Amino acid sequence: TPVIDIAGLTKRYSEHTTALNAVDLRVSQGEIVVLLGLSGSGKSTLLRHINGLETPSEGSVGVLGQPVSRLSGAKLRGLRSRVGFIFQQFELVGPLTVLENVLSGALGALRGPRLGLFTYPAALKRKALGHLERVGLLDRAYQRADTLSGGQQQRVAIARALMQDPEVLLADEPVASLDPESSMQVMALIREIAATDGLTVVCSLHQVDLAISWADRIVGLRHGELVLDTPAEGLTRAE
Ligand code: ADP
Ligand code: ADP
């Protein structure tokens, strides 16, 4: 059974805005998929449905064998904990340390009485430090997150997403704010982690060349419609 199973997904934000129109998409375990499309084509909306952050107007969204679009409460939270999400703007808490940001990705981390003070079991701290080592930022653990470069902040966000041992990783334009060199680093890191951990990845991008060189499979969106679904191998820009 596919890890992601989307059928006939339509999302209307209003009478005039159909963000997704009858989208069908199945993704198998371990696949690395890029959603490719211009700004406004529906990439974020599709990713947010996979994570249960949006409710379909029509159609169904299944993730890890569960009907996301019909879950709520604890069941939805449980499913979301198996799906990591990284964002274009990283969404770190700038004044907190890098380590605290990573820890905030764990269910067991509790915000303490003073803002910014997290309490957590020692095992979680070891786990967070292990993830920081994986993303090459162990030496930055006690630095404020907002002192890091954009590429480093996105790597911290990846470490944070790993705290819940996700089976699926969703990334919404993860390198859109980064320079080319940091972009390559972050994309390579995502692939490496996905391969090691056996993650299924769906990542939105708008850069055609990067998408072709990075993905296993390219899914193209235009005005909310799925207009392309093909292996990345052998594609060239002219196609
Ligand atoms: P992309 O990620 O490809 O840039 P989006 O999924 O963000 O595309 O947007 C698809 C369309 O839906 C756009 O027309 C956008 O303006 C609209 N849209 C997205 N989110 C909302 C929202 N929360 N409310 C209303 N319209 C939205
Ligand atoms: P992206 O193109 O990366 O999806 P946007 O700038 O389109 O980013 O959207 C950023 C946020 O604003 C998203 O959460 C989206 O849901 C929301 N949004 C986008 N378009 C609209 C809209 N027309 N009305 C309300 N919210 C919107």
Side-chain angles (χ1 to χ4, degrees), residues 11-14 16-20 37-48 54 172-173 204 221 223-224:
K11 179 64 175 182
R12 289 181 212 93
Y13 283 110
S14 69
H16 308 287
T17 312
T18 302
L20 294 173
L38 299 176
S39 181
S41 59
K43 305 183 296 296
S44 295
T45 301
L46 184 52
L47 289 170
R48 291 202 308 268
E54 298 277 2
D172 193 359
E173 295 271 7
S204 68
L221 283 175
H223 304 311

PDB file of all heavy atoms in Angstrom, residues 11-14 16-20 37-48 54 172-173 204 221 223-224, ligand 1:
ATOM      1  N   LYS A  11      -9.436  21.504  -3.556  1.00  0.00           N
ATOM      2  CA  LYS A  11      -9.509  22.479  -2.463  1.00  0.00           C
ATOM      3  C   LYS A  11      -9.917  23.830  -3.023  1.00  0.00           C
ATOM      4  O   LYS A  11      -9.223  24.401  -3.856  1.00  0.00           O
ATOM      5  CB  LYS A  11      -8.148  22.609  -1.768  1.00  0.00           C
ATOM      6  CG  LYS A  11      -8.137  23.623  -0.634  1.00  0.00           C
ATOM      7  CD  LYS A  11      -9.054  23.214   0.515  1.00  0.00           C
ATOM      8  CE  LYS A  11      -8.932  24.171   1.701  1.00  0.00           C
ATOM      9  NZ  LYS A  11      -9.805  23.717   2.825  1.00  0.00           N
ATOM     10  N   ARG A  12     -11.052  24.301  -2.541  1.00  0.00           N
ATOM     11  CA  ARG A  12     -11.509  25.645  -2.904  1.00  0.00           C
ATOM     12  C   ARG A  12     -11.416  26.522  -1.666  1.00  0.00           C
ATOM     13  O   ARG A  12     -12.013  26.211  -0.641  1.00  0.00           O
ATOM     14  CB  ARG A  12     -12.972  25.613  -3.360  1.00  0.00           C
ATOM     15  CG  ARG A  12     -13.171  24.965  -4.701  1.00  0.00           C
ATOM     16  CD  ARG A  12     -14.653  24.986  -5.130  1.00  0.00           C
ATOM     17  NE  ARG A  12     -14.926  23.786  -5.922  1.00  0.00           N
ATOM     18  CZ  ARG A  12     -15.384  22.645  -5.434  1.00  0.00           C
ATOM     19  NH1 ARG A  12     -15.714  22.532  -4.151  1.00  0.00           N
ATOM     20  NH2 ARG A  12     -15.565  21.604  -6.229  1.00  0.00           N
ATOM     21  N   TYR A  13     -10.654  27.590  -1.771  1.00  0.00           N
ATOM     22  CA  TYR A  13     -10.592  28.534  -0.640  1.00  0.00           C
ATOM     23  C   TYR A  13     -11.765  29.495  -0.703  1.00  0.00           C
ATOM     24  O   TYR A  13     -12.188  30.022   0.314  1.00  0.00           O
ATOM     25  CB  TYR A  13      -9.273  29.301  -0.653  1.00  0.00           C
ATOM     26  CG  TYR A  13      -8.106  28.480  -0.135  1.00  0.00           C
ATOM     27  CD1 TYR A  13      -7.106  28.036  -0.989  1.00  0.00           C
ATOM     28  CD2 TYR A  13      -8.027  28.135   1.216  1.00  0.00           C
ATOM     29  CE1 TYR A  13      -6.045  27.287  -0.507  1.00  0.00           C
ATOM     30  CE2 TYR A  13      -6.968  27.374   1.696  1.00  0.00           C
ATOM     31  CZ  TYR A  13      -5.978  26.956   0.829  1.00  0.00           C
ATOM     32  OH  TYR A  13      -4.935  26.210   1.312  1.00  0.00           O
ATOM     33  N   SER A  14     -12.246  29.726  -1.927  1.00  0.00           N
ATOM     34  CA  SER A  14     -13.426  30.573  -2.096  1.00  0.00           C
ATOM     35  C   SER A  14     -14.013  30.234  -3.456  1.00  0.00           C
ATOM     36  O   SER A  14     -13.473  29.405  -4.189  1.00  0.00           O
ATOM     37  CB  SER A  14     -13.034  32.049  -2.054  1.00  0.00           C
ATOM     38  OG  SER A  14     -12.283  32.363  -3.220  1.00  0.00           O
ATOM     39  N   HIS A  16     -13.800  31.814  -6.005  1.00  0.00           N
ATOM     40  CA  HIS A  16     -12.886  32.186  -7.091  1.00  0.00           C
ATOM     41  C   HIS A  16     -11.519  31.530  -6.991  1.00  0.00           C
ATOM     42  O   HIS A  16     -10.730  31.659  -7.906  1.00  0.00           O
ATOM     43  CB  HIS A  16     -12.714  33.711  -7.127  1.00  0.00           C
ATOM     44  CG  HIS A  16     -14.017  34.442  -7.157  1.00  0.00           C
ATOM     45  ND1 HIS A  16     -14.808  34.473  -8.283  1.00  0.00           N
ATOM     46  CD2 HIS A  16     -14.681  35.119  -6.190  1.00  0.00           C
ATOM     47  CE1 HIS A  16     -15.913  35.160  -8.003  1.00  0.00           C
ATOM     48  NE2 HIS A  16     -15.848  35.559  -6.743  1.00  0.00           N
ATOM     49  N   THR A  17     -11.238  30.871  -5.881  1.00  0.00           N
ATOM     50  CA  THR A  17      -9.906  30.286  -5.722  1.00  0.00           C
ATOM     51  C   THR A  17      -9.992  28.777  -5.552  1.00  0.00           C
ATOM     52  O   THR A  17     -10.334  28.279  -4.481  1.00  0.00           O
ATOM     53  CB  THR A  17      -9.182  30.875  -4.495  1.00  0.00           C
ATOM     54  OG1 THR A  17      -9.289  32.289  -4.542  1.00  0.00           O
ATOM     55  CG2 THR A  17      -7.716  30.479  -4.490  1.00  0.00           C
ATOM     56  N   THR A  18      -9.691  28.071  -6.637  1.00  0.00           N
ATOM     57  CA  THR A  18      -9.556  26.620  -6.564  1.00  0.00           C
ATOM     58  C   THR A  18      -8.068  26.324  -6.528  1.00  0.00           C
ATOM     59  O   THR A  18      -7.387  26.396  -7.546  1.00  0.00           O
ATOM     60  CB  THR A  18     -10.224  25.938  -7.775  1.00  0.00           C
ATOM     61  OG1 THR A  18     -11.604  26.323  -7.792  1.00  0.00           O
ATOM     62  CG2 THR A  18     -10.141  24.427  -7.683  1.00  0.00           C
ATOM     63  N   ALA A  19      -7.558  26.039  -5.332  1.00  0.00           N
ATOM     64  CA  ALA A  19      -6.108  25.857  -5.169  1.00  0.00           C
ATOM     65  C   ALA A  19      -5.662  24.502  -5.687  1.00  0.00           C
ATOM     66  O   ALA A  19      -4.538  24.355  -6.160  1.00  0.00           O
ATOM     67  CB  ALA A  19      -5.712  26.024  -3.703  1.00  0.00           C
ATOM     68  N   LEU A  20      -6.540  23.490  -5.578  1.00  0.00           N
ATOM     69  CA  LEU A  20      -6.238  22.160  -6.116  1.00  0.00           C
ATOM     70  C   LEU A  20      -7.491  21.647  -6.812  1.00  0.00           C
ATOM     71  O   LEU A  20      -8.606  21.836  -6.308  1.00  0.00           O
ATOM     72  CB  LEU A  20      -5.857  21.182  -4.996  1.00  0.00           C
ATOM     73  CG  LEU A  20      -4.566  21.472  -4.236  1.00  0.00           C
ATOM     74  CD1 LEU A  20      -4.425  20.520  -3.051  1.00  0.00           C
ATOM     75  CD2 LEU A  20      -3.349  21.358  -5.156  1.00  0.00           C
ATOM     76  N   GLY A  37       6.342  23.510  -9.475  1.00  0.00           N
ATOM     77  CA  GLY A  37       5.323  24.411 -10.013  1.00  0.00           C
ATOM     78  C   GLY A  37       5.620  25.844  -9.633  1.00  0.00           C
ATOM     79  O   GLY A  37       6.372  26.108  -8.693  1.00  0.00           O
ATOM     80  N   LEU A  38       5.028  26.748 -10.367  1.00  0.00           N
ATOM     81  CA  LEU A  38       5.222  28.172 -10.088  1.00  0.00           C
ATOM     82  C   LEU A  38       4.538  28.545  -8.784  1.00  0.00           C
ATOM     83  O   LEU A  38       3.708  27.798  -8.262  1.00  0.00           O
ATOM     84  CB  LEU A  38       4.622  29.005 -11.231  1.00  0.00           C
ATOM     85  CG  LEU A  38       5.232  28.776 -12.616  1.00  0.00           C
ATOM     86  CD1 LEU A  38       4.462  29.589 -13.661  1.00  0.00           C
ATOM     87  CD2 LEU A  38       6.707  29.168 -12.607  1.00  0.00           C
ATOM     88  N   SER A  39       4.862  29.718  -8.295  1.00  0.00           N
ATOM     89  CA  SER A  39       4.188  30.248  -7.117  1.00  0.00           C
ATOM     90  C   SER A  39       2.684  30.310  -7.392  1.00  0.00           C
ATOM     91  O   SER A  39       2.262  30.736  -8.470  1.00  0.00           O
ATOM     92  CB  SER A  39       4.747  31.643  -6.809  1.00  0.00           C
ATOM     93  OG  SER A  39       4.118  32.140  -5.667  1.00  0.00           O
ATOM     94  N   GLY A  40       1.904  29.823  -6.445  1.00  0.00           N
ATOM     95  CA  GLY A  40       0.455  29.850  -6.607  1.00  0.00           C
ATOM     96  C   GLY A  40      -0.118  28.620  -7.297  1.00  0.00           C
ATOM     97  O   GLY A  40      -1.330  28.515  -7.480  1.00  0.00           O
ATOM     98  N   SER A  41       0.725  27.648  -7.666  1.00  0.00           N
ATOM     99  CA  SER A  41       0.230  26.469  -8.390  1.00  0.00           C
ATOM    100  C   SER A  41      -0.424  25.438  -7.466  1.00  0.00           C
ATOM    101  O   SER A  41      -1.041  24.493  -7.947  1.00  0.00           O
ATOM    102  CB  SER A  41       1.372  25.821  -9.183  1.00  0.00           C
ATOM    103  OG  SER A  41       2.423  25.435  -8.333  1.00  0.00           O
ATOM    104  N   GLY A  42      -0.256  25.596  -6.153  1.00  0.00           N
ATOM    105  CA  GLY A  42      -0.949  24.703  -5.221  1.00  0.00           C
ATOM    106  C   GLY A  42      -0.038  23.781  -4.422  1.00  0.00           C
ATOM    107  O   GLY A  42      -0.516  22.902  -3.698  1.00  0.00           O
ATOM    108  N   LYS A  43       1.268  23.987  -4.508  1.00  0.00           N
ATOM    109  CA  LYS A  43       2.216  23.087  -3.843  1.00  0.00           C
ATOM    110  C   LYS A  43       2.042  23.081  -2.325  1.00  0.00           C
ATOM    111  O   LYS A  43       1.943  22.023  -1.709  1.00  0.00           O
ATOM    112  CB  LYS A  43       3.664  23.494  -4.197  1.00  0.00           C
ATOM    113  CG  LYS A  43       3.939  23.554  -5.693  1.00  0.00           C
ATOM    114  CD  LYS A  43       5.400  23.885  -6.001  1.00  0.00           C
ATOM    115  CE  LYS A  43       5.867  25.251  -5.532  1.00  0.00           C
ATOM    116  NZ  LYS A  43       5.189  26.383  -6.195  1.00  0.00           N
ATOM    117  N   SER A  44       2.011  24.274  -1.728  1.00  0.00           N
ATOM    118  CA  SER A  44       1.846  24.357  -0.261  1.00  0.00           C
ATOM    119  C   SER A  44       0.520  23.755   0.166  1.00  0.00           C
ATOM    120  O   SER A  44       0.441  23.061   1.187  1.00  0.00           O
ATOM    121  CB  SER A  44       1.840  25.809   0.227  1.00  0.00           C
ATOM    122  OG  SER A  44       3.060  26.402  -0.002  1.00  0.00           O
ATOM    123  N   THR A  45      -0.501  24.046  -0.588  1.00  0.00           N
ATOM    124  CA  THR A  45      -1.830  23.538  -0.243  1.00  0.00           C
ATOM    125  C   THR A  45      -1.826  22.010  -0.250  1.00  0.00           C
ATOM    126  O   THR A  45      -2.372  21.376   0.664  1.00  0.00           O
ATOM    127  CB  THR A  45      -2.877  24.088  -1.231  1.00  0.00           C
ATOM    128  OG1 THR A  45      -2.844  25.519  -1.170  1.00  0.00           O
ATOM    129  CG2 THR A  45      -4.265  23.594  -0.899  1.00  0.00           C
ATOM    130  N   LEU A  46      -1.172  21.425  -1.240  1.00  0.00           N
ATOM    131  CA  LEU A  46      -1.104  19.963  -1.302  1.00  0.00           C
ATOM    132  C   LEU A  46      -0.327  19.405  -0.099  1.00  0.00           C
ATOM    133  O   LEU A  46      -0.786  18.467   0.568  1.00  0.00           O
ATOM    134  CB  LEU A  46      -0.454  19.537  -2.625  1.00  0.00           C
ATOM    135  CG  LEU A  46      -0.372  18.034  -2.918  1.00  0.00           C
ATOM    136  CD1 LEU A  46      -1.729  17.366  -2.767  1.00  0.00           C
ATOM    137  CD2 LEU A  46       0.179  17.796  -4.317  1.00  0.00           C
ATOM    138  N   LEU A  47       0.824  20.008   0.206  1.00  0.00           N
ATOM    139  CA  LEU A  47       1.610  19.532   1.354  1.00  0.00           C
ATOM    140  C   LEU A  47       0.822  19.668   2.651  1.00  0.00           C
ATOM    141  O   LEU A  47       0.856  18.782   3.506  1.00  0.00           O
ATOM    142  CB  LEU A  47       2.920  20.322   1.454  1.00  0.00           C
ATOM    143  CG  LEU A  47       3.960  20.011   0.368  1.00  0.00           C
ATOM    144  CD1 LEU A  47       5.099  21.018   0.411  1.00  0.00           C
ATOM    145  CD2 LEU A  47       4.505  18.589   0.540  1.00  0.00           C
ATOM    146  N   ARG A  48       0.101  20.770   2.799  1.00  0.00           N
ATOM    147  CA  ARG A  48      -0.650  20.963   4.047  1.00  0.00           C
ATOM    148  C   ARG A  48      -1.788  19.954   4.194  1.00  0.00           C
ATOM    149  O   ARG A  48      -2.156  19.598   5.310  1.00  0.00           O
ATOM    150  CB  ARG A  48      -1.159  22.398   4.149  1.00  0.00           C
ATOM    151  CG  ARG A  48      -0.008  23.409   4.361  1.00  0.00           C
ATOM    152  CD  ARG A  48      -0.487  24.719   4.978  1.00  0.00           C
ATOM    153  NE  ARG A  48      -1.587  25.281   4.244  1.00  0.00           N
ATOM    154  CZ  ARG A  48      -1.458  26.161   3.250  1.00  0.00           C
ATOM    155  NH1 ARG A  48      -0.273  26.590   2.890  1.00  0.00           N
ATOM    156  NH2 ARG A  48      -2.515  26.624   2.631  1.00  0.00           N
ATOM    157  N   GLU A  54      -4.969  21.118   6.385  1.00  0.00           N
ATOM    158  CA  GLU A  54      -6.093  21.619   5.601  1.00  0.00           C
ATOM    159  C   GLU A  54      -7.089  20.484   5.411  1.00  0.00           C
ATOM    160  O   GLU A  54      -6.703  19.314   5.387  1.00  0.00           O
ATOM    161  CB  GLU A  54      -5.650  22.064   4.196  1.00  0.00           C
ATOM    162  CG  GLU A  54      -4.655  23.196   4.156  1.00  0.00           C
ATOM    163  CD  GLU A  54      -5.318  24.563   4.262  1.00  0.00           C
ATOM    164  OE1 GLU A  54      -6.564  24.636   4.413  1.00  0.00           O
ATOM    165  OE2 GLU A  54      -4.571  25.549   4.199  1.00  0.00           O
ATOM    166  N   ASP A 172       8.428  22.273   2.315  1.00  0.00           N
ATOM    167  CA  ASP A 172       7.775  23.284   1.485  1.00  0.00           C
ATOM    168  C   ASP A 172       8.791  24.347   1.089  1.00  0.00           C
ATOM    169  O   ASP A 172       9.149  25.199   1.891  1.00  0.00           O
ATOM    170  CB  ASP A 172       6.605  23.913   2.257  1.00  0.00           C
ATOM    171  CG  ASP A 172       5.699  24.726   1.342  1.00  0.00           C
ATOM    172  OD1 ASP A 172       5.984  24.817   0.128  1.00  0.00           O
ATOM    173  OD2 ASP A 172       4.700  25.272   1.845  1.00  0.00           O
ATOM    174  N   GLU A 173       9.278  24.265  -0.137  1.00  0.00           N
ATOM    175  CA  GLU A 173      10.280  25.202  -0.662  1.00  0.00           C
ATOM    176  C   GLU A 173      11.425  25.397   0.345  1.00  0.00           C
ATOM    177  O   GLU A 173      11.737  26.529   0.736  1.00  0.00           O
ATOM    178  CB  GLU A 173       9.625  26.563  -0.964  1.00  0.00           C
ATOM    179  CG  GLU A 173       8.600  26.500  -2.078  1.00  0.00           C
ATOM    180  CD  GLU A 173       9.195  26.730  -3.471  1.00  0.00           C
ATOM    181  OE1 GLU A 173      10.433  26.815  -3.596  1.00  0.00           O
ATOM    182  OE2 GLU A 173       8.392  26.794  -4.421  1.00  0.00           O
ATOM    183  N   SER A 204       8.440  20.482  -2.163  1.00  0.00           N
ATOM    184  CA  SER A 204       8.083  21.412  -3.222  1.00  0.00           C
ATOM    185  C   SER A 204       9.283  22.268  -3.585  1.00  0.00           C
ATOM    186  O   SER A 204      10.091  22.641  -2.728  1.00  0.00           O
ATOM    187  CB  SER A 204       6.902  22.291  -2.805  1.00  0.00           C
ATOM    188  OG  SER A 204       7.258  23.169  -1.766  1.00  0.00           O
ATOM    189  N   LEU A 221       2.670  20.679 -10.962  1.00  0.00           N
ATOM    190  CA  LEU A 221       1.370  21.300 -10.705  1.00  0.00           C
ATOM    191  C   LEU A 221       1.276  22.604 -11.493  1.00  0.00           C
ATOM    192  O   LEU A 221       2.245  23.350 -11.575  1.00  0.00           O
ATOM    193  CB  LEU A 221       1.211  21.640  -9.217  1.00  0.00           C
ATOM    194  CG  LEU A 221       0.892  20.502  -8.252  1.00  0.00           C
ATOM    195  CD1 LEU A 221       0.909  21.042  -6.815  1.00  0.00           C
ATOM    196  CD2 LEU A 221      -0.481  19.906  -8.557  1.00  0.00           C
ATOM    197  N   HIS A 223      -1.749  25.677 -11.892  1.00  0.00           N
ATOM    198  CA  HIS A 223      -3.088  26.167 -11.517  1.00  0.00           C
ATOM    199  C   HIS A 223      -3.885  25.096 -10.777  1.00  0.00           C
ATOM    200  O   HIS A 223      -5.069  24.890 -11.042  1.00  0.00           O
ATOM    201  CB  HIS A 223      -3.869  26.618 -12.751  1.00  0.00           C
ATOM    202  CG  HIS A 223      -3.173  27.666 -13.569  1.00  0.00           C
ATOM    203  ND1 HIS A 223      -2.637  28.814 -13.003  1.00  0.00           N
ATOM    204  CD2 HIS A 223      -2.893  27.745 -14.882  1.00  0.00           C
ATOM    205  CE1 HIS A 223      -2.080  29.540 -13.951  1.00  0.00           C
ATOM    206  NE2 HIS A 223      -2.209  28.912 -15.098  1.00  0.00           N
ATOM    207  N   GLY A 224      -3.218  24.395  -9.855  1.00  0.00           N
ATOM    208  CA  GLY A 224      -3.926  23.430  -9.021  1.00  0.00           C
ATOM    209  C   GLY A 224      -4.179  22.092  -9.664  1.00  0.00           C
ATOM    210  O   GLY A 224      -4.805  21.219  -9.057  1.00  0.00           O
TER     211      GLY A 224
HETATM  212  P1  ADP B   1       2.265  27.419  -4.028  1.00  0.00           P
HETATM  213  O1  ADP B   1       2.689  26.730  -2.803  1.00  0.00           O
HETATM  214  O2  ADP B   1       2.475  26.585  -5.257  1.00  0.00           O
HETATM  215  O3  ADP B   1       2.837  28.776  -4.157  1.00  0.00           O
HETATM  216  P2  ADP B   1      -0.287  27.697  -2.716  1.00  0.00           P
HETATM  217  O4  ADP B   1      -0.746  26.331  -2.368  1.00  0.00           O
HETATM  218  O5  ADP B   1       0.331  28.526  -1.648  1.00  0.00           O
HETATM  219  O6  ADP B   1       0.679  27.598  -3.975  1.00  0.00           O
HETATM  220  O7  ADP B   1      -1.493  28.531  -3.310  1.00  0.00           O
HETATM  221  C1  ADP B   1      -2.393  28.010  -4.310  1.00  0.00           C
HETATM  222  C2  ADP B   1      -3.515  29.008  -4.501  1.00  0.00           C
HETATM  223  O8  ADP B   1      -4.341  29.011  -3.336  1.00  0.00           O
HETATM  224  C3  ADP B   1      -3.064  30.432  -4.687  1.00  0.00           C
HETATM  225  O9  ADP B   1      -3.989  31.050  -5.555  1.00  0.00           O
HETATM  226  C4  ADP B   1      -3.147  31.014  -3.294  1.00  0.00           C
HETATM  227  O10 ADP B   1      -3.320  32.401  -3.325  1.00  0.00           O
HETATM  228  C5  ADP B   1      -4.353  30.292  -2.744  1.00  0.00           C
HETATM  229  N1  ADP B   1      -4.280  30.109  -1.274  1.00  0.00           N
HETATM  230  C6  ADP B   1      -3.336  29.406  -0.606  1.00  0.00           C
HETATM  231  N2  ADP B   1      -3.594  29.412   0.708  1.00  0.00           N
HETATM  232  C7  ADP B   1      -4.729  30.129   0.874  1.00  0.00           C
HETATM  233  C8  ADP B   1      -5.506  30.483   2.004  1.00  0.00           C
HETATM  234  N3  ADP B   1      -5.159  30.099   3.234  1.00  0.00           N
HETATM  235  N4  ADP B   1      -6.607  31.217   1.800  1.00  0.00           N
HETATM  236  C9  ADP B   1      -6.970  31.583   0.554  1.00  0.00           C
HETATM  237  N5  ADP B   1      -6.289  31.281  -0.552  1.00  0.00           N
HETATM  238  C10 ADP B   1      -5.174  30.559  -0.405  1.00  0.00           C
END
